[in-house]
Amino acid sequence: MKFACLAALLLALTVPVAARTPFEAADLYQLQQIENPVLAADGRRVLFTRVRFDEGSDRRQGELWLAHLDASGAIIDQRLLVPASLAPREASFTPDGSRIAFVGQHMGGAQLFVLTLADPVARPATSGETVPMGPVWSPDGRRLAFIGRVPAKAPALVGMPPRAKGADRAPEPKLVTDLFWRTDAGGEVKPGAFHLFVLDLDSGTTTQLTSGPEDMVDPNGLAWTPDGRFLIASRNSDRIKEPTESNLWRFDAGRPGAAPVQLTSRPGSEFAPAVSPDGRTLAFLGAEATRDFYPMPEVWLMPLAPGAPIRKAAPSLDRPVAAAPLWRADSAALHILYHDEGVTRVGEVDAASGAVTVKVPVVGGTRLYLPSAGGQFSAAAGTFAWTTAHADRPAGLGVSKGGEQTGRLDPNARWAEGKRASAIEEVRAKAPDGREIQGWLMFPPGFDRRKRYPLILDIHGGPNTDYGPIFSVTHALYAAAGYLVLFTNPRGSIGYGREFANLITGSYPGADHEDLMAMVDAVAARAYADPRNLFIGGGSGGGVLTLNAIGRAPGKFRAAVALRPVTDWTNQVTTADNSPFFLQQWMGAPPWDEPERYRARSPFFLAGKIITPTLLITGEADFRTPIAQTEMMFGALKQRGVETMMIRLPDANHGMGRPSQWLQSILAPIEWFNRHRLK
């Protein structure tokens, strides 16, 4: 750690302070980010994705790279394996480390590719229209299992006369019978079902193991048994009535059409399976059935047998687990990534005692648009690789042997050398009920505590997510524009225990408003904050809380920005892409039975109290919080005479679209705040 700090100091001193510039919008196209590290079984090689934002295509692009490590975990070389033109993703080593599989683009569609490291030319191993998802190597490295969606014939109207040759006709109607007819990530979904496949690399034959009109597996993880005979996957048999219910099933990898064997049946979810190397124990993520707002995912263990008893892997760890567990080679422990007070950590869980030992104290989130905790890691042969956390630049690659960091790759070091960074300070405040709320304050570059600065409260979405003290494009641009940026984790946030995350059950929005206002008041009382110039904004769930705040505290804020908000819960539980979950888990009853519940929790019905100038921003292809809700609030505020603007981002989904649309969704709020700022 001392070495890293000294290196950063020496690097900073190479550029005169006066020559450094604050972060600016065009810097997005200079940034790189490391994502998805994957270690080979010997712990001496690591795959990773190097992400860039290409200005010419206005697209996020990823390249697949390979780095070699020495015995101490230091990076000794790195090289490009697969270019961005193939859009490589979901890469993994064979068990012996000789080959790599990944999903990439070929001839206009997604296919499985295999690359032999001795002859590093990526070749497609599949063809056809079935998109492979979550490929997993068999223990002998000769087969790849994956999940794919098998298309079905779309329904059509009967009785239409044939189209005359050369005649023009309106597009065919879309007959929709599936509630899940569109997703935020993929848009409209063609009819079909998810099934399980095995590709034999020796023969090149792909075998479909399951069939039928219904989903036989969910794309939530896949695992081989060590003998190579079986595959384990999760399945939800009724996504409408039981959106949080799923069970693990065992499939015979050598017998297409064989009846699967159900392994779990408890009420709740089981997914992301991982079988211990000795074949005795099954680990998985899941949550017991609950009517609480947040079914917190944890790691569970059971003997690898149908109906075997299930137990928590780490009973004392009251934290959500963010990714599938990884077994240690001796089957005595697992490695997990979990959220903890604004950061994620890698822990080693003793499979017998449940004791947790921290192996990587902080893993860097890779969302980049906002400072959400998260990131990725890998572990093998006592080596750990992870995405690193930085307050002034995107994630790099870190490597260790379970102690001090020994290897690092920081693709933004030279870029950061020329920038004036914004400092981040932890802030804590007491809510009216006495609960302590954690947050962070980002300062403008060149901050002078003798001056007074306007303050932006930025609220995270989710609501069961979290913010942390890491770099984000949004906050860097806000701070560079001269604002203090306050970002917090009010009740409902994760990483503070199951109870804290579920304090919003039946009352979202509710007392989380008081948490946020307590933080604003604590910071606004500081000598360098300008209490006349308070601003508020947030996206998704943060948009909900923003509109709720300006409805419950009219006049407190000079201006507000709500990005992709929920404004009407009736709309949300009937038109969003995961509507049954929102109805059953978040609202608890349908609007036709409990209309007053929906009215009480919908920001739209606060429109009559809002006087704050309000900017609304949503993607036109957002199917998570559909744009009709933004239009409702815009129409209501305009008819009331409140200063309001709506920005619609063409073709953008809930993630805010392409790189230029990221910038538009950040620069527009800055201009809106500047317009309403008192001088």
Side-chain angles (χ1 to χ4, degrees), residues 551 567-570 595-610 632-633 636:
T567 67
D568 176 20
W569 286 106
T570 297
E596 285 306 312
R597 178 182 303 190
Y598 283 74
R599 180 184 178 92
R601 291 169 61 179
S602 296
F604 177 77
F605 293 101
L606 292 173
K609 298 181 179 180
I610 292 174
M632 289 173 63
M633 184 61 79

XYZ file of all heavy atoms in Angstrom, residues 551 567-570 595-610 632-633 636:
196
model
N -41.707 17.170 -3.826
C -43.120 17.217 -3.487
C -43.353 17.361 -1.996
O -44.286 18.047 -1.568
N -42.932 7.286 -11.774
C -43.821 8.335 -11.263
C -45.176 7.775 -10.869
O -45.878 8.361 -10.059
C -44.026 9.446 -12.308
O -44.755 8.939 -13.433
C -42.699 10.003 -12.779
N -45.540 6.618 -11.429
C -46.855 6.022 -11.171
C -46.679 4.515 -11.038
O -46.385 3.821 -12.016
C -47.806 6.359 -12.321
C -49.164 5.701 -12.165
O -49.512 5.309 -11.033
O -49.874 5.564 -13.181
N -46.867 3.987 -9.832
C -46.621 2.568 -9.601
C -47.627 1.671 -10.316
O -47.323 0.511 -10.621
C -46.602 2.276 -8.097
C -45.344 2.768 -7.448
C -45.197 3.859 -6.647
C -44.041 2.195 -7.591
N -43.883 4.007 -6.273
C -43.151 2.997 -6.827
C -43.531 1.099 -8.275
C -41.794 2.722 -6.739
C -42.177 0.822 -8.188
C -41.323 1.616 -7.423
N -48.806 2.177 -10.610
C -49.753 1.383 -11.399
C -49.184 1.114 -12.780
O -49.244 -0.009 -13.300
C -51.109 2.089 -11.512
O -51.685 2.212 -10.209
C -52.066 1.324 -12.404
N -55.916 0.434 -4.627
C -55.560 1.645 -5.368
C -54.952 2.743 -4.503
O -54.082 3.486 -4.958
C -56.881 2.084 -5.999
C -57.936 1.433 -5.161
C -57.368 0.142 -4.721
N -55.366 2.852 -3.248
C -54.850 3.917 -2.394
C -53.390 3.697 -2.040
O -52.638 4.644 -1.828
C -55.709 4.048 -1.127
C -57.047 4.709 -1.377
C -56.902 6.060 -2.075
O -56.076 6.879 -1.622
O -57.606 6.289 -3.074
N -52.983 2.438 -1.956
C -51.573 2.133 -1.709
C -50.712 2.695 -2.836
O -49.644 3.266 -2.610
C -51.381 0.628 -1.592
C -49.941 0.193 -1.389
C -49.799 -1.313 -1.320
N -50.613 -1.896 -0.266
C -50.536 -3.167 0.130
N -49.662 -3.975 -0.456
N -51.316 -3.631 1.085
N -51.174 2.543 -4.052
C -50.429 3.021 -5.217
C -50.428 4.537 -5.283
O -49.412 5.159 -5.615
C -51.021 2.413 -6.489
C -50.597 0.974 -6.681
C -51.142 -0.050 -5.901
C -49.623 0.636 -7.609
C -50.741 -1.367 -6.056
C -49.210 -0.676 -7.783
C -49.772 -1.674 -6.992
O -49.358 -2.969 -7.151
N -51.549 5.128 -4.963
C -51.633 6.587 -4.969
C -50.694 7.190 -3.926
O -49.979 8.159 -4.193
C -53.075 7.023 -4.697
C -53.270 8.536 -4.673
C -54.696 8.899 -4.296
N -54.853 10.348 -4.225
C -55.252 11.106 -5.236
N -55.521 10.549 -6.410
N -55.363 12.410 -5.095
N -50.641 6.579 -2.744
C -49.832 7.124 -1.651
C -48.344 7.061 -1.954
O -47.569 7.888 -1.454
C -50.133 6.379 -0.354
N -47.913 6.103 -2.786
C -46.477 5.920 -3.025
C -46.016 6.407 -4.393
O -44.845 6.296 -4.728
C -46.127 4.438 -2.830
C -46.246 4.008 -1.371
C -46.170 2.507 -1.177
N -44.917 1.943 -1.626
C -44.621 0.651 -1.543
N -45.503 -0.193 -1.005
N -43.460 0.196 -1.977
N -46.921 6.957 -5.191
C -46.572 7.418 -6.538
C -46.274 8.907 -6.549
O -47.142 9.716 -6.202
C -47.713 7.113 -7.511
O -47.910 5.727 -7.648
N -45.050 9.304 -6.948
C -44.712 10.731 -6.995
C -45.647 11.551 -7.882
O -45.795 12.758 -7.663
C -43.284 10.734 -7.554
C -42.721 9.405 -7.168
C -43.882 8.460 -7.263
N -46.289 10.925 -8.858
C -47.196 11.665 -9.732
C -48.257 12.406 -8.932
O -48.644 13.530 -9.282
C -47.870 10.700 -10.716
C -48.882 11.356 -11.605
C -48.484 12.118 -12.691
C -50.239 11.221 -11.340
C -49.423 12.746 -13.502
C -51.186 11.835 -12.150
C -50.775 12.601 -13.235
N -48.709 11.816 -7.840
C -49.780 12.431 -7.066
C -49.274 13.514 -6.120
O -50.056 14.092 -5.365
C -50.569 11.351 -6.326
C -51.326 10.456 -7.272
C -50.835 9.208 -7.607
C -52.495 10.891 -7.871
C -51.506 8.389 -8.501
C -53.184 10.087 -8.768
C -52.690 8.830 -9.087
N -47.971 13.797 -6.184
C -47.420 14.973 -5.501
C -47.260 16.145 -6.460
O -46.783 17.213 -6.055
C -46.054 14.630 -4.897
C -46.039 13.646 -3.721
C -44.598 13.285 -3.369
C -46.755 14.228 -2.509
N -47.634 15.943 -7.718
C -47.425 16.995 -8.720
C -48.088 18.306 -8.317
O -47.587 19.387 -8.645
C -47.951 16.524 -10.077
N -49.197 18.234 -7.604
C -49.891 19.451 -7.191
C -49.146 20.257 -6.150
O -49.492 21.420 -5.899
N -48.120 19.695 -5.530
C -47.341 20.402 -4.509
C -45.976 20.868 -5.023
O -45.298 21.640 -4.352
C -47.133 19.497 -3.298
C -48.427 19.087 -2.601
C -48.138 18.201 -1.400
C -49.422 17.796 -0.685
N -49.143 16.939 0.484
N -45.566 20.377 -6.180
C -44.229 20.680 -6.682
C -44.171 22.085 -7.262
O -45.016 22.473 -8.079
C -43.806 19.647 -7.746
C -43.613 18.271 -7.088
C -42.522 20.079 -8.457
C -43.329 17.148 -8.065
N -46.107 11.528 -18.157
C -47.182 11.882 -17.220
C -46.762 13.035 -16.316
O -47.512 14.011 -16.146
C -47.545 10.669 -16.368
C -48.269 9.561 -17.094
S -48.476 8.086 -16.055
C -49.525 8.738 -14.749
N -45.567 12.930 -15.734
C -45.119 13.988 -14.827
C -44.866 15.281 -15.578
O -45.210 16.369 -15.096
C -43.863 13.534 -14.085
C -43.371 14.535 -13.042
S -44.580 14.880 -11.719
C -44.383 13.431 -10.687
N -48.225 16.891 -16.268
C -48.831 17.438 -15.060
C -48.169 18.753 -14.648
O -48.846 19.745 -14.334
C -48.734 16.420 -13.927
